[in-house]
Amino acid sequence: ETGVTQSPTHLIKTRGQQVTLRCSSQSGHNTVSWYQQALGQGPQFIFQYYREEENGRGNFPPRFSGLQFPNYSSELNVNALELDDSALYLCASSEGTDSNQPQHFGDGTRLSIL
Amino acid sequence: GENVEQHPSTLSVQEGDSAVIKCTYSDSASNYFPWYKQELGKRPQLIIDIRSNVGEKKDQRIAVTLNKTAKHFSLHITETQPEDSAVYFCAAKRASGGSYIPTFGRGTSLIVHP
């Protein structure tokens, strides 16, 4: 059984650019959630994908978008990057969308905006 | 939306002592409360969780209690060890439009002194 993996581990971008972060879910997990974790804060829910469709979203603007693929991998895309987007981005997969399904996190991508 | 408050932000104890971290939530519809441990530079790891129909759950040195009426839940670690040192996050999950949205607390940095 493989765990959740994310790439890249670190990334530096400048304001206004676009970025794509990638996540490979744990085998058998059809649900993936993305989080933004600023330094010294708890993870903030961005959105969740289930069977390739977005089925829940937190308080993030439309320039944060995502995709989920049939092989359980997923992407987080952020357009028009702002300085405040600097954070650790975590993805987490689970077996389903029920509230009590445990989530398994990846190591995250550290995004720095200059 | 949901609001989760976590206290204290920092907790320093001697090895062998007990540690208690408390969280309150605002949305009575929240029904699942996981706790995560995040070591420096590593992914959050689920250490224990509790569902809203249960008042207490224990797993070796770790226990969680839930008071639905007062809307608060607590993490208890007994016989603390230096390897328990990490940041601990509570979360509350509530249903929203067919999915379940998690809200995390801001974290408690636990330091266990040998």
Side-chain angles (χ1 to χ4, degrees):
Chain A
E1 180 183 274
T2 57
V4 179
T5 58
Q6 291 186 243
S7 63
T9 54
H10 296 86
L11 199 53
I12 299 174
K13 291 283 189 179
T14 57
R15 278 185 303 173
Q17 285 189 310
Q18 179 267 343
V19 69
T20 297
L21 309 182
R22 293 179 173 83
C23 172
S24 179
S25 297
Q26 187 163 317
S27 179
H29 286 187
N30 57 16
T31 304
V32 66
S33 300
W34 284 89
Y35 296 85
Q36 180 194 68
Q37 186 177 21
L39 202 61
Q41 305 287 322
Q44 278 200 293
F45 177 75
I46 302 174
F47 45 56
Q48 180 183 86
Y49 276 78
Y50 171 66
R51 293 185 175 178
E52 303 170 52
E53 290 194 5
E54 183 181 300
N55 79 328
R57 191 176 184 93
N59 191 26
F60 280 80
R63 59 189 186 84
F64 286 79
S65 63
L67 284 172
Q68 185 186 29
F69 305 100
N71 66 352
Y72 304 126
S73 67
S74 64
E75 290 180 353
L76 165 65
N77 298 289
V78 188
N79 294 323
L81 286 165
E82 302 175 0
L83 293 177
D84 284 349
D85 295 335
S86 294
L88 179 68
Y89 288 85
L90 295 160
C91 76
S93 70
S94 58
E95 281 190 45
T97 59
D98 287 347
S99 68
N100 57 6
Q101 284 290 345
Q103 291 191 315
H104 300 263
F105 282 87
D107 285 330
T109 293
R110 174 75 60 187
L111 177 63
S112 299
I113 311 301
L114 304 179
Chain B
E2 176 66 278
N3 182 43
V4 176
E5 300 281 344
Q6 183 171 348
H7 300 280
S9 56
T10 306
L11 181 58
S12 184
V13 300
Q14 288 296 127
E15 183 176 0
D17 287 351
S18 295
V20 181
I21 302 170
K22 299 181 180 180
C23 287
T24 60
Y25 61 99
S26 60
D27 192 338
S28 57
S30 289
N31 60 3
Y32 175 64
F33 307 90
W35 285 88
Y36 293 88
K37 175 184 180 182
Q38 188 174 29
E39 297 177 45
L40 192 63
K42 296 192 175 180
R43 67 184 72 185
Q45 289 195 306
L46 178 69
I47 55 171
I48 196 167
D49 57 14
I50 191 166
R51 291 149 180 74
S52 59
N53 59 348
V54 176
E56 184 173 356
K57 182 177 178 180
K58 191 173 181 180
D59 182 4
Q60 298 182 344
R61 296 187 297 110
I62 295 173
V64 58
T65 58
L66 170 65
N67 184 325
K68 283 175 57 180
T69 304
K71 296 200 194 71
H72 67 70
F73 55 113
S74 300
L75 177 71
H76 305 253
I77 306 175
T78 58
E79 301 171 32
T80 53
Q81 301 166 3
E83 50 265 38
D84 293 331
S85 297
V87 179
Y88 291 80
F89 293 98
C90 64
K93 245 185 176 182
R94 61 183 173 85
S96 176
S99 67
Y100 291 91
I101 306 293
T103 302
F104 282 76
R106 294 182 61 153
T108 295
S109 178
L110 174 64
I111 303 165
V112 181
H113 299 281

Short mmCIF file of all heavy atoms in Angstrom, two decimals, chain B residues 3-32:
data_model
loop_
_atom_site.label_atom_id
_atom_site.label_comp_id
_atom_site.label_asym_id
_atom_site.label_seq_id
_atom_site.Cartn_x
_atom_site.Cartn_y
_atom_site.Cartn_z
N ASN B 3 -16.31 27.65 13.65
CA ASN B 3 -15.17 28.32 14.26
C ASN B 3 -14.61 27.41 15.35
O ASN B 3 -15.35 27.00 16.25
CB ASN B 3 -15.59 29.68 14.85
CG ASN B 3 -14.40 30.41 15.43
OD1 ASN B 3 -13.34 30.45 14.83
ND2 ASN B 3 -14.58 30.99 16.61
N VAL B 4 -13.35 27.07 15.24
CA VAL B 4 -12.72 26.18 16.22
C VAL B 4 -11.61 26.95 16.95
O VAL B 4 -10.70 27.47 16.31
CB VAL B 4 -12.12 24.93 15.53
CG1 VAL B 4 -11.38 24.06 16.55
CG2 VAL B 4 -13.22 24.11 14.87
N GLU B 5 -11.74 27.02 18.25
CA GLU B 5 -10.74 27.67 19.09
C GLU B 5 -9.95 26.60 19.84
O GLU B 5 -10.54 25.66 20.39
CB GLU B 5 -11.42 28.60 20.11
CG GLU B 5 -12.24 29.72 19.49
CD GLU B 5 -11.38 30.86 19.01
OE1 GLU B 5 -10.20 30.94 19.43
OE2 GLU B 5 -11.88 31.68 18.21
N GLN B 6 -8.64 26.75 19.87
CA GLN B 6 -7.78 25.75 20.50
C GLN B 6 -6.88 26.43 21.52
O GLN B 6 -6.27 27.46 21.25
CB GLN B 6 -6.93 25.04 19.43
CG GLN B 6 -6.05 23.93 19.95
CD GLN B 6 -5.39 23.12 18.84
OE1 GLN B 6 -5.75 23.23 17.68
NE2 GLN B 6 -4.42 22.30 19.21
N HIS B 7 -6.76 25.80 22.72
CA HIS B 7 -5.93 26.34 23.80
C HIS B 7 -5.24 25.21 24.55
O HIS B 7 -5.81 24.14 24.70
CB HIS B 7 -6.80 27.13 24.77
CG HIS B 7 -7.49 28.28 24.15
ND1 HIS B 7 -6.88 29.48 23.90
CD2 HIS B 7 -8.77 28.40 23.70
CE1 HIS B 7 -7.74 30.30 23.34
NE2 HIS B 7 -8.89 29.68 23.20
N PRO B 8 -4.02 25.45 25.06
CA PRO B 8 -3.24 26.67 24.88
C PRO B 8 -2.50 26.65 23.54
O PRO B 8 -2.50 25.62 22.87
CB PRO B 8 -2.25 26.59 26.05
CG PRO B 8 -2.03 25.13 26.23
CD PRO B 8 -3.35 24.46 25.91
N SER B 9 -1.85 27.72 23.19
CA SER B 9 -1.08 27.73 21.95
C SER B 9 0.27 27.04 22.18
O SER B 9 0.84 26.48 21.25
CB SER B 9 -0.87 29.16 21.46
OG SER B 9 -0.26 29.95 22.47
N THR B 10 0.77 27.11 23.40
CA THR B 10 2.01 26.44 23.77
C THR B 10 1.83 25.75 25.11
O THR B 10 1.22 26.31 26.02
CB THR B 10 3.19 27.44 23.85
OG1 THR B 10 3.26 28.16 22.62
CG2 THR B 10 4.50 26.72 24.08
N LEU B 11 2.37 24.53 25.22
CA LEU B 11 2.26 23.77 26.46
C LEU B 11 3.59 23.09 26.73
O LEU B 11 4.08 22.33 25.90
CB LEU B 11 1.15 22.73 26.34
CG LEU B 11 0.85 21.83 27.54
CD1 LEU B 11 0.50 22.67 28.76
CD2 LEU B 11 -0.30 20.86 27.21
N SER B 12 4.16 23.40 27.89
CA SER B 12 5.46 22.85 28.24
C SER B 12 5.29 21.98 29.48
O SER B 12 4.76 22.45 30.49
CB SER B 12 6.44 24.00 28.52
OG SER B 12 7.73 23.52 28.79
N VAL B 13 5.72 20.71 29.42
CA VAL B 13 5.56 19.79 30.55
C VAL B 13 6.85 19.01 30.75
O VAL B 13 7.71 18.94 29.86
CB VAL B 13 4.39 18.80 30.31
CG1 VAL B 13 3.07 19.56 30.14
CG2 VAL B 13 4.65 17.89 29.13
N GLN B 14 6.96 18.42 31.92
CA GLN B 14 8.08 17.54 32.21
C GLN B 14 7.71 16.10 31.81
O GLN B 14 6.53 15.70 31.88
CB GLN B 14 8.42 17.56 33.69
CG GLN B 14 9.09 18.84 34.18
CD GLN B 14 10.45 19.06 33.54
OE1 GLN B 14 10.73 20.12 32.96
NE2 GLN B 14 11.31 18.05 33.61
N GLU B 15 8.70 15.38 31.37
CA GLU B 15 8.49 13.98 30.99
C GLU B 15 7.78 13.24 32.13
O GLU B 15 8.14 13.37 33.30
CB GLU B 15 9.83 13.32 30.70
CG GLU B 15 9.75 11.89 30.23
CD GLU B 15 11.09 11.30 29.86
OE1 GLU B 15 12.11 12.01 29.98
OE2 GLU B 15 11.13 10.11 29.47
N GLY B 16 6.74 12.49 31.75
CA GLY B 16 5.98 11.75 32.75
C GLY B 16 4.71 12.45 33.20
O GLY B 16 3.78 11.81 33.72
N ASP B 17 4.66 13.78 33.00
CA ASP B 17 3.44 14.54 33.35
C ASP B 17 2.36 14.27 32.31
O ASP B 17 2.61 13.72 31.24
CB ASP B 17 3.75 16.03 33.40
CG ASP B 17 4.56 16.42 34.62
OD1 ASP B 17 4.74 15.56 35.51
OD2 ASP B 17 5.03 17.58 34.66
N SER B 18 1.14 14.74 32.65
CA SER B 18 0.03 14.69 31.70
C SER B 18 -0.10 16.02 30.97
O SER B 18 0.31 17.06 31.50
CB SER B 18 -1.28 14.38 32.42
OG SER B 18 -1.25 13.09 32.99
N ALA B 19 -0.65 15.96 29.78
CA ALA B 19 -0.89 17.17 28.99
C ALA B 19 -2.34 17.16 28.52
O ALA B 19 -2.86 16.11 28.10
CB ALA B 19 0.05 17.22 27.79
N VAL B 20 -2.97 18.32 28.59
CA VAL B 20 -4.36 18.45 28.15
C VAL B 20 -4.49 19.63 27.20
O VAL B 20 -4.03 20.73 27.51
CB VAL B 20 -5.33 18.65 29.34
CG1 VAL B 20 -6.77 18.76 28.84
CG2 VAL B 20 -5.20 17.52 30.35
N ILE B 21 -5.08 19.40 26.06
CA ILE B 21 -5.31 20.44 25.06
C ILE B 21 -6.82 20.50 24.81
O ILE B 21 -7.47 19.47 24.65
CB ILE B 21 -4.58 20.12 23.74
CG1 ILE B 21 -3.08 19.97 23.99
CG2 ILE B 21 -4.84 21.21 22.71
CD1 ILE B 21 -2.31 19.42 22.79
N LYS B 22 -7.35 21.73 24.81
CA LYS B 22 -8.80 21.90 24.71
C LYS B 22 -9.21 22.64 23.44
O LYS B 22 -8.52 23.58 23.02
CB LYS B 22 -9.31 22.66 25.94
CG LYS B 22 -9.04 21.94 27.25
CD LYS B 22 -9.58 22.70 28.44
CE LYS B 22 -9.28 21.92 29.73
NZ LYS B 22 -9.78 22.63 30.94
N CYS B 23 -10.33 22.24 22.90
CA CYS B 23 -10.88 22.91 21.71
C CYS B 23 -12.37 23.14 21.90
O CYS B 23 -13.06 22.29 22.51
CB CYS B 23 -10.65 22.07 20.46
SG CYS B 23 -8.95 22.07 19.91
N THR B 24 -12.85 24.26 21.41
CA THR B 24 -14.28 24.53 21.37
C THR B 24 -14.69 24.75 19.93
O THR B 24 -13.89 25.18 19.10
CB THR B 24 -14.66 25.77 22.20
OG1 THR B 24 -13.96 26.91 21.67
CG2 THR B 24 -14.26 25.60 23.66
N TYR B 25 -15.94 24.43 19.63
CA TYR B 25 -16.45 24.63 18.28
C TYR B 25 -17.79 25.34 18.36
O TYR B 25 -18.45 25.37 19.41
CB TYR B 25 -16.56 23.30 17.52
CG TYR B 25 -17.49 22.28 18.13
CD1 TYR B 25 -18.78 22.10 17.63
CD2 TYR B 25 -17.08 21.45 19.18
CE1 TYR B 25 -19.63 21.15 18.17
CE2 TYR B 25 -17.92 20.50 19.72
CZ TYR B 25 -19.19 20.35 19.22
OH TYR B 25 -20.03 19.40 19.76
N SER B 26 -18.22 25.91 17.26
CA SER B 26 -19.42 26.75 17.29
C SER B 26 -20.64 26.11 16.63
O SER B 26 -21.77 26.42 16.99
CB SER B 26 -19.13 28.09 16.61
OG SER B 26 -18.74 27.89 15.26
N ASP B 27 -20.41 25.22 15.65
CA ASP B 27 -21.52 24.68 14.87
C ASP B 27 -21.99 23.36 15.46
O ASP B 27 -21.27 22.37 15.44
CB ASP B 27 -21.06 24.48 13.42
CG ASP B 27 -22.21 24.19 12.47
OD1 ASP B 27 -23.28 23.74 12.94
OD2 ASP B 27 -22.04 24.40 11.26
N SER B 28 -23.21 23.34 15.98
CA SER B 28 -23.74 22.12 16.59
C SER B 28 -23.92 20.99 15.58
O SER B 28 -24.12 19.83 15.96
CB SER B 28 -25.07 22.41 17.28
OG SER B 28 -25.99 22.96 16.35
N ALA B 29 -23.84 21.29 14.28
CA ALA B 29 -23.95 20.25 13.25
C ALA B 29 -22.65 19.47 13.06
O ALA B 29 -22.63 18.43 12.40
CB ALA B 29 -24.36 20.88 11.91
N SER B 30 -21.56 19.94 13.64
CA SER B 30 -20.29 19.21 13.53
C SER B 30 -20.44 17.86 14.22
O SER B 30 -20.98 17.77 15.33
CB SER B 30 -19.15 20.00 14.16
OG SER B 30 -18.85 21.12 13.36
N ASN B 31 -19.95 16.80 13.58
CA ASN B 31 -20.20 15.47 14.13
C ASN B 31 -18.98 14.55 14.14
O ASN B 31 -19.09 13.36 14.45
CB ASN B 31 -21.34 14.79 13.35
CG ASN B 31 -21.01 14.62 11.88
OD1 ASN B 31 -19.92 14.96 11.42
ND2 ASN B 31 -21.96 14.10 11.12
N TYR B 32 -17.83 15.09 13.79
CA TYR B 32 -16.61 14.26 13.78
C TYR B 32 -15.45 15.13 14.18
O TYR B 32 -15.28 16.24 13.65
CB TYR B 32 -16.41 13.65 12.39
CG TYR B 32 -15.13 12.87 12.23
CD1 TYR B 32 -14.89 11.71 12.96
CD2 TYR B 32 -14.15 13.29 11.33
CE1 TYR B 32 -13.71 11.00 12.80
CE2 TYR B 32 -12.97 12.59 11.16
CZ TYR B 32 -12.75 11.44 11.91
OH TYR B 32 -11.59 10.73 11.75
#
